[in-house]
Amino acid sequence: MAERVALITGITGQDGSYLAEFLLAKGYKVAGTVRRSSTENFSRIEHIRDRIQLEQADLLDQYSLLDVIKRVEPHEVYNLAAMSFVPTSWSQPVLTTEFDAVGVTRMLEAIRLANPKIRFYQASSSEMFGKVLEVPQKESTPFYPRSPYGVAKVYGHFITLNYRESYDLFACSGILFNHESPRRGLEFVTRKVTDGVARVKLGLAKELKLGNLDARRDWGFAGDYVKAMWLMLQEDEPRDYVVATGEQHTVRDLVNIAFAHVGLDWQEYVKQDPAFYRPAEVETLLGDSTKAREELGWMPECTFSQLVEMMVDADMATLSAKK
């Protein structure tokens, strides 16, 4: 069988780096798109940089996407690039829309024009459910997004469905619930907590400021979730799937486990700050991944406690090395 080729947009991000590792282990030739910028960050893929092919392309530029697909000739395209930090979508709503909504259309159009046999994965998000209309949320749950990010992701989700039904593309969306790792950006609450815990433990900080401690999320490990992306593109028919653990925890639970892991009482160090509350809060997200488990054979392997402790250990090691 000829070597399979995968193209990953957003390869320098958390999910992109884990997916690249996974596909390399499967024997794929892996290419990834990077945007031309003055501050490029390849830290998440530095350990595999010599095994992957990096190509300049941009979701804002139609021609660059068409060009990269013609050059790389991928069998599979994973569209993971996005403006992915929800709070930023309020300060940059138009740019978020360009990347997370119109950008998906540009990529689908490039595939349609260059090679409609390419299999396409779109990174949809649990934030599309927003003000949830049923609990737990599954593939048939109506969307009610509560941020410009969520709204843009709904567009990306439905344009993928439209290209699948209109042009017979193998195009599917994974509605992934929150998934974290030591490679998560410091702006996300999970990593903000584990980095903050490490700083307090090492004497680099005296407190940790957070927003809503009662927000409830379905958190899993990014390394588990990228396997679901790949499984979706191996099916006979393209379908959309919710990918989630089916377990819910509050930010308070996250904080408690993280501080306890280093032998500290979180209540002595955590301060709530209204500045970190969202303009429109998403209070609860809980996914039902029955379809993915039954049809794809996918199961999360890392527990919530293991995930949090893994992230704390990684931040402790990183900060200790800098002391």
Side-chain angles (χ1 to χ4, degrees), residues 60-74:
L60 302 185
D61 179 30
Q62 179 74 68
Y63 179 78
S64 71
L65 299 178
L66 189 58
D67 183 55
V68 76
I69 286 174
K70 287 180 176 178
R71 278 186 287 114
V72 173
E73 297 184 327

Side-chain angles (χ1 to χ4, degrees), residues 69-139:
I69 286 174
K70 287 180 176 178
R71 278 186 287 114
V72 173
E73 297 184 327
H75 300 93
E76 300 170 3
V77 170
Y78 296 85
N79 186 40
L80 309 186
M83 291 278 285
S84 61
F85 187 48
V86 176
T88 300
S89 74
W90 275 288
S91 59
Q92 297 183 310
V94 177
L95 187 60
T96 299
T97 303
E98 283 289 343
F99 275 113
D100 298 3
V102 187
V104 184
T105 315
R106 293 189 186 103
M107 180 56 86
L108 285 163
E109 190 65 2
I111 290 171
R112 183 182 74 84
L113 294 171
N115 179 7
K117 295 189 184 307
I118 290 171
R119 296 192 167 205
F120 175 77
Y121 171 85
Q122 165 60 13
S124 287
S125 169
S126 59
E127 288 286 333
M128 300 189 304
F129 295 119
K131 188 175 181 179
V132 299
L133 300 178
E134 69 175 338
V135 179
Q137 296 87 55
K138 50 185 180 288
E139 291 80 7

Side-chain angles (χ1 to χ4, degrees), residues 81-294:
M83 291 278 285
S84 61
F85 187 48
V86 176
T88 300
S89 74
W90 275 288
S91 59
Q92 297 183 310
V94 177
L95 187 60
T96 299
T97 303
E98 283 289 343
F99 275 113
D100 298 3
V102 187
V104 184
T105 315
R106 293 189 186 103
M107 180 56 86
L108 285 163
E109 190 65 2
I111 290 171
R112 183 182 74 84
L113 294 171
N115 179 7
K117 295 189 184 307
I118 290 171
R119 296 192 167 205
F120 175 77
Y121 171 85
Q122 165 60 13
S124 287
S125 169
S126 59
E127 288 286 333
M128 300 189 304
F129 295 119
K131 188 175 181 179
V132 299
L133 300 178
E134 69 175 338
V135 179
Q137 296 87 55
K138 50 185 180 288
E139 291 80 7
S140 59
T141 302
F143 299 135
Y144 194 147
R146 296 269 281 173
S147 65
Y149 170 82
V151 172
K153 280 292 187 180
V154 170
Y155 178 103
H157 182 85
F158 277 121
I159 200 67
T160 300
L161 175 63
N162 270 259
Y163 268 70
R164 179 166 82 213
E165 295 181 346
S166 302
Y167 300 116
D168 200 29
L169 296 186
F170 192 108
C172 57
S173 296
I175 307 173
L176 272 57
F177 279 64
N178 296 66
H179 46 288
E180 319 296 319
S181 76
R183 300 178 194 173
R184 194 54 141 156
L186 284 166
E187 67 273 23
F188 290 86
V189 69
T190 46
R191 184 74 194 290
K192 182 180 179 181
V193 167
T194 60
D195 176 77
V197 165
R199 289 180 183 279
V200 168
K201 182 64 176 179
L202 294 171
L204 300 173
K206 293 183 178 179
E207 64 180 21
L208 173 61
K209 291 184 177 180
L210 296 170
N212 183 8
L213 298 181
D214 296 314
R216 305 176 70 86
R217 292 291 184 273
D218 184 330
W219 277 298
F221 173 48
D224 287 341
Y225 284 37
V226 297
K227 183 179 180 181
M229 301 176 187
W230 175 77
L231 286 169
M232 289 178 211
L233 296 196
Q234 311 315 307
E235 289 291 286
D236 293 333
E237 299 291 334
R239 298 185 183 92
D240 304 326
Y241 294 89
V242 163
V243 179
T245 69
E247 295 181 7
Q248 196 176 54
H249 302 273
T250 62
V251 175
R252 186 177 279 100
D253 296 333
L254 163 68
V255 168
N256 185 28
I257 293 170
F259 273 97
H261 187 54
V262 296
L264 298 176
D265 180 356
W266 71 270
Q267 296 182 73
E268 296 180 16
Y269 303 99
V270 173
K271 303 288 187 289
Q272 281 190 275
D273 186 341
F276 295 111
Y277 279 72
R278 294 183 181 186
E281 185 59 74
V282 174
E283 295 290 348
T284 181
L285 289 171
L286 177 64
D288 179 356
S289 58
T290 300
K291 183 180 174 184
R293 295 175 195 232
E294 292 180 351

Side-chain angles (χ1 to χ4, degrees), residues 300-314:
E301 296 177 16
C302 181
T303 68
F304 179 65
S305 293
Q306 289 171 335
L307 170 63
V308 176
E309 291 170 1
M310 174 205 313
M311 293 175 67
V312 171
D313 289 342

